[in-house]
mmCIF file of all heavy atoms in Angstrom:
data_model
loop_
_atom_site.group_PDB
_atom_site.id
_atom_site.type_symbol
_atom_site.label_atom_id
_atom_site.label_comp_id
_atom_site.label_asym_id
_atom_site.label_seq_id
_atom_site.Cartn_x
_atom_site.Cartn_y
_atom_site.Cartn_z
ATOM 1 N N GLN A 336 -1.420 -0.374 -8.916
ATOM 2 C CA GLN A 336 -2.820 -0.403 -9.323
ATOM 3 C C GLN A 336 -2.955 -0.777 -10.792
ATOM 4 O O GLN A 336 -3.826 -1.571 -11.154
ATOM 5 C CB GLN A 336 -3.485 0.948 -9.054
ATOM 6 C CG GLN A 336 -3.750 1.178 -7.595
ATOM 7 C CD GLN A 336 -4.365 2.530 -7.308
ATOM 8 O OE1 GLN A 336 -4.580 3.337 -8.213
ATOM 9 N NE2 GLN A 336 -4.637 2.797 -6.055
ATOM 10 N N VAL A 337 -2.088 -0.230 -11.626
ATOM 11 C CA VAL A 337 -2.156 -0.539 -13.054
ATOM 12 C C VAL A 337 -1.786 -2.004 -13.286
ATOM 13 O O VAL A 337 -2.493 -2.732 -13.986
ATOM 14 C CB VAL A 337 -1.241 0.406 -13.854
ATOM 15 C CG1 VAL A 337 -1.119 -0.043 -15.298
ATOM 16 C CG2 VAL A 337 -1.761 1.830 -13.779
ATOM 17 N N LEU A 338 -0.677 -2.446 -12.703
ATOM 18 C CA LEU A 338 -0.251 -3.833 -12.884
ATOM 19 C C LEU A 338 -1.237 -4.817 -12.248
ATOM 20 O O LEU A 338 -1.532 -5.864 -12.827
ATOM 21 C CB LEU A 338 1.143 -4.034 -12.297
ATOM 22 C CG LEU A 338 2.275 -3.310 -13.017
ATOM 23 C CD1 LEU A 338 3.580 -3.487 -12.261
ATOM 24 C CD2 LEU A 338 2.400 -3.780 -14.437
ATOM 25 N N GLY A 339 -1.741 -4.475 -11.062
ATOM 26 C CA GLY A 339 -2.711 -5.344 -10.406
ATOM 27 C C GLY A 339 -4.008 -5.447 -11.184
ATOM 28 O O GLY A 339 -4.606 -6.515 -11.272
ATOM 29 N N GLY A 340 -4.448 -4.346 -11.771
ATOM 30 C CA GLY A 340 -5.660 -4.373 -12.587
ATOM 31 C C GLY A 340 -5.487 -5.220 -13.838
ATOM 32 O O GLY A 340 -6.365 -6.003 -14.207
ATOM 33 N N ALA A 341 -4.329 -5.071 -14.493
ATOM 34 C CA ALA A 341 -4.067 -5.876 -15.689
ATOM 35 C C ALA A 341 -3.962 -7.358 -15.327
ATOM 36 O O ALA A 341 -4.494 -8.224 -16.039
ATOM 37 C CB ALA A 341 -2.781 -5.402 -16.362
ATOM 38 N N ALA A 342 -3.290 -7.663 -14.225
ATOM 39 C CA ALA A 342 -3.177 -9.060 -13.795
ATOM 40 C C ALA A 342 -4.531 -9.625 -13.401
ATOM 41 O O ALA A 342 -4.839 -10.789 -13.690
ATOM 42 C CB ALA A 342 -2.195 -9.176 -12.628
ATOM 43 N N SER A 343 -5.354 -8.811 -12.780
ATOM 44 C CA SER A 343 -6.690 -9.261 -12.381
ATOM 45 C C SER A 343 -7.566 -9.533 -13.603
ATOM 46 O O SER A 343 -8.341 -10.483 -13.614
ATOM 47 C CB SER A 343 -7.334 -8.214 -11.486
ATOM 48 O OG SER A 343 -8.593 -8.629 -11.051
ATOM 49 N N ASP A 344 -7.439 -8.701 -14.618
ATOM 50 C CA ASP A 344 -8.182 -8.943 -15.857
ATOM 51 C C ASP A 344 -7.742 -10.243 -16.517
ATOM 52 O O ASP A 344 -8.558 -10.975 -17.067
ATOM 53 C CB ASP A 344 -7.984 -7.790 -16.837
ATOM 54 C CG ASP A 344 -8.739 -6.542 -16.440
ATOM 55 O OD1 ASP A 344 -9.653 -6.637 -15.599
ATOM 56 O OD2 ASP A 344 -8.391 -5.454 -16.961
ATOM 57 N N ARG A 345 -6.461 -10.514 -16.464
ATOM 58 C CA ARG A 345 -5.928 -11.700 -17.148
ATOM 59 C C ARG A 345 -6.140 -12.991 -16.363
ATOM 60 O O ARG A 345 -6.503 -14.013 -16.915
ATOM 61 C CB ARG A 345 -4.465 -11.491 -17.441
ATOM 62 C CG ARG A 345 -3.849 -12.648 -18.185
ATOM 63 C CD ARG A 345 -2.439 -12.371 -18.594
ATOM 64 N NE ARG A 345 -1.924 -13.535 -19.287
ATOM 65 C CZ ARG A 345 -1.153 -13.492 -20.340
ATOM 66 N NH1 ARG A 345 -0.789 -12.338 -20.808
ATOM 67 N NH2 ARG A 345 -0.727 -14.599 -20.886
ATOM 68 N N PHE A 346 -5.861 -12.947 -15.048
ATOM 69 C CA PHE A 346 -5.861 -14.170 -14.235
ATOM 70 C C PHE A 346 -7.050 -14.295 -13.289
ATOM 71 O O PHE A 346 -7.241 -15.327 -12.661
ATOM 72 C CB PHE A 346 -4.573 -14.261 -13.411
ATOM 73 C CG PHE A 346 -3.325 -14.196 -14.248
ATOM 74 C CD1 PHE A 346 -2.488 -13.109 -14.160
ATOM 75 C CD2 PHE A 346 -3.006 -15.216 -15.117
ATOM 76 C CE1 PHE A 346 -1.331 -13.030 -14.916
ATOM 77 C CE2 PHE A 346 -1.851 -15.153 -15.888
ATOM 78 C CZ PHE A 346 -1.022 -14.050 -15.803
ATOM 79 N N GLY A 347 -7.796 -13.215 -13.128
ATOM 80 C CA GLY A 347 -8.914 -13.226 -12.184
ATOM 81 C C GLY A 347 -8.512 -12.571 -10.873
ATOM 82 O O GLY A 347 -7.337 -12.472 -10.539
ATOM 83 N N GLY A 348 -9.501 -12.135 -10.137
ATOM 84 C CA GLY A 348 -9.229 -11.401 -8.902
ATOM 85 C C GLY A 348 -8.678 -12.236 -7.768
ATOM 86 O O GLY A 348 -7.834 -11.781 -7.014
ATOM 87 N N LYS A 349 -9.143 -13.463 -7.643
ATOM 88 C CA LYS A 349 -8.720 -14.286 -6.499
ATOM 89 C C LYS A 349 -7.227 -14.588 -6.510
ATOM 90 O O LYS A 349 -6.567 -14.418 -5.467
ATOM 91 C CB LYS A 349 -9.532 -15.574 -6.452
ATOM 92 C CG LYS A 349 -10.940 -15.352 -5.989
ATOM 93 C CD LYS A 349 -11.697 -16.663 -5.868
ATOM 94 C CE LYS A 349 -13.127 -16.419 -5.421
ATOM 95 N NZ LYS A 349 -13.862 -17.663 -5.251
ATOM 96 N N PRO A 350 -6.634 -15.020 -7.610
ATOM 97 C CA PRO A 350 -5.191 -15.280 -7.583
ATOM 98 C C PRO A 350 -4.356 -14.016 -7.325
ATOM 99 O O PRO A 350 -3.350 -14.060 -6.624
ATOM 100 C CB PRO A 350 -4.879 -15.863 -8.956
ATOM 101 C CG PRO A 350 -6.164 -16.296 -9.533
ATOM 102 C CD PRO A 350 -7.219 -15.464 -8.882
ATOM 103 N N VAL A 351 -4.804 -12.898 -7.875
ATOM 104 C CA VAL A 351 -4.067 -11.649 -7.675
ATOM 105 C C VAL A 351 -4.132 -11.218 -6.207
ATOM 106 O O VAL A 351 -3.136 -10.827 -5.629
ATOM 107 C CB VAL A 351 -4.611 -10.554 -8.606
ATOM 108 C CG1 VAL A 351 -3.977 -9.215 -8.310
ATOM 109 C CG2 VAL A 351 -4.355 -10.931 -10.073
ATOM 110 N N MET A 352 -5.315 -11.324 -5.609
ATOM 111 C CA MET A 352 -5.444 -10.953 -4.204
ATOM 112 C C MET A 352 -4.668 -11.920 -3.309
ATOM 113 O O MET A 352 -4.153 -11.521 -2.274
ATOM 114 C CB MET A 352 -6.922 -10.929 -3.801
ATOM 115 C CG MET A 352 -7.682 -9.771 -4.381
ATOM 116 S SD MET A 352 -6.970 -8.161 -4.018
ATOM 117 C CE MET A 352 -7.188 -8.089 -2.268
#
Side-chain angles (χ1 to χ4, degrees):
Q336 286 178 358
V337 171
L338 293 175
S343 182
D344 286 344
R345 182 174 179 141
F346 304 112
K349 286 184 181 182
V351 173
M352 288 305 294

